Amino acid sequence: MWRALLLFVSAAAFRASSPLARRRVPEVASRGQPLSTAALVETPPAPSAQGYTGAMRVGVVLLNLGGPERSEDVEPFLYNLFADPDIIRLPRALSGLQVPLAWAIARKRAPQSRAAYDSIGGGSPIVNYTRAQAQALEHALNTGPLGVGKGSGIEWRCYVAMRYWYPFTGEALQQAHADQCRALVVLPLYPHFSISTSGSSLRELGQRVIQDYGADFGQAHTVSFCHGGGARVVARWSRAALHALAR
C-alpha cells in the first residue's frame, strides 16, 4: 500500500510540476460542490528559503479531521466541529445563530465525549498517527526504495493539516510557504468523499490558499481517492505495486 501511495503521489506531482501543465491553485467551491481548480497563476515565486537545495520543493498536504489531544481540548474541538456550516447548515436568515448553537451543543456533548476520550488515554491518536504518516511519506518520497526524489529535481516536504484541531490547515500552509514550496499535492486521508468531511477540508484549504497566499503556490493538484472512479484508481495502483514487489 505504501508503494501504491508513493506511485500515486509522485504521478500527481509530476503532472503538477510539468512545464507543459497550466499553473493552478484551488478555487473555493460553492457549498455542496467539489473543489474546483480554475484559478490560473502565471509563474511561481523565486525560491529564497534558507537551506534551499536548488531542487523544486513540492509540499504534500495531508488532510484529516483532527481530534482533541487532551481532555480539556474536547469542548473547544466540538465547538470547531459544530461551528462549521458544512456540519450544521442553518437557513441564511438564521446564520447568526451558528456560533451560540455550536457552543450550546459542544457544552452539552462534552462530558460524554470527554469520558470516551478518557477511556482511550485522554485524547485522540489521530494527530500522532497522521504526523507519523507524514514523516514516513516524506522520507520514502525523498530517499525510499522507489527513489522518487532522486535525480528528479524535486525535494518533498509533507505537512499535516487538520480541519477542527491543531495543527490547523492555516498552520500547514504557513509552514509550506515558509519552506518555499512552489507547488502543492493535496492528499485527503478521509476514507470517502463527504461535503461535511473531505469537502469541508478542501474548501478550507482552497480558501486559505487564495486569500492568504494568492499566486505564491505556483500550482496545486488534489489526489482524490474518493470520487471520479477513485476506488478503481487505487486498485490499479495497488496491482502495479504488487507486480513491482513480485519482481
Side-chain angles (χ1 to χ4, degrees):
M1 187 61 190
W2 266 111
R3 286 176 175 260
L5 184 60
L6 288 169
L7 286 166
F8 206 110
V9 173
S10 60
F14 175 80
R15 289 193 295 271
S17 59
S18 170
L20 300 178
R22 304 176 73 184
R23 300 194 177 279
R24 301 187 291 180
V25 294
E27 178 186 22
V28 181
S30 60
R31 178 180 295 177
Q33 298 296 324
L35 186 72
S36 170
T37 53
L40 299 181
V41 181
E42 293 301 324
T43 56
S48 60
Q50 184 177 3
Y52 185 72
T53 63
M56 176 181 176
R57 280 185 179 162
V58 176
V60 181
V61 183
L62 283 68
L63 300 182
N64 218 330
L65 186 77
E69 297 180 87
R70 303 169 301 173
S71 183
E72 53 265 37
D73 298 336
V74 171
E75 187 172 318
F77 165 76
L78 291 174
Y79 164 76
N80 291 338
L81 184 72
F82 295 117
D84 183 357
D86 285 323
I87 300 294
I88 297 179
R89 300 189 180 188
L90 296 177
R92 187 180 299 272
L94 300 177
S95 60
L97 298 177
Q98 187 88 40
V99 168
L101 180 62
W103 275 121
I105 297 175
R107 290 192 184 102
K108 181 175 179 58
R109 294 188 59 169
Q112 182 178 0
S113 296
R114 190 176 292 113
Y117 282 114
D118 286 345
S119 71
I120 58 170
S124 169
I126 192 170
V127 175
N128 289 334
Y129 287 165
T130 307
R131 282 177 173 148
Q133 284 180 295
Q135 291 169 2
L137 181 58
E138 181 175 300
H139 176 76
L141 285 170
N142 285 309
T143 63
L146 290 181
V148 178
K150 298 176 181 177
S152 67
I154 296 177
E155 179 185 350
W156 300 83
R157 296 289 180 92
C158 292
Y159 307 94
V160 172
M162 296 298 185
R163 182 64 182 94
Y164 302 115
W165 202 244
Y166 301 99
F168 289 113
T169 303
E171 297 174 72
L173 290 175
Q174 184 178 27
Q175 187 60 56
H177 185 261
D179 289 342
Q180 292 294 321
C181 290
R182 298 172 64 188
L184 297 177
V185 175
V186 183
L187 182 60
L189 297 183
Y190 297 94
H192 60 275
F193 180 80
S194 170
I195 294 300
S196 59
T197 55
S198 47
S200 181
S201 284
L202 287 168
R203 277 189 294 281
E204 170 72 5
L205 182 139
Q207 183 176 12
R208 287 191 173 275
V209 166
I210 291 174
Q211 290 182 352
D212 299 342
Y213 301 102
D216 287 356
F217 294 116
Q219 196 171 48
H221 181 90
T222 301
V223 177
S224 175
F225 288 172
C226 45
H227 57 82
R232 290 189 296 273
V233 172
V234 173
R236 185 166 64 250
W237 282 106
S238 297
R239 284 194 296 271
L242 288 173
H243 288 314
L245 285 171
R247 291 196 299 270

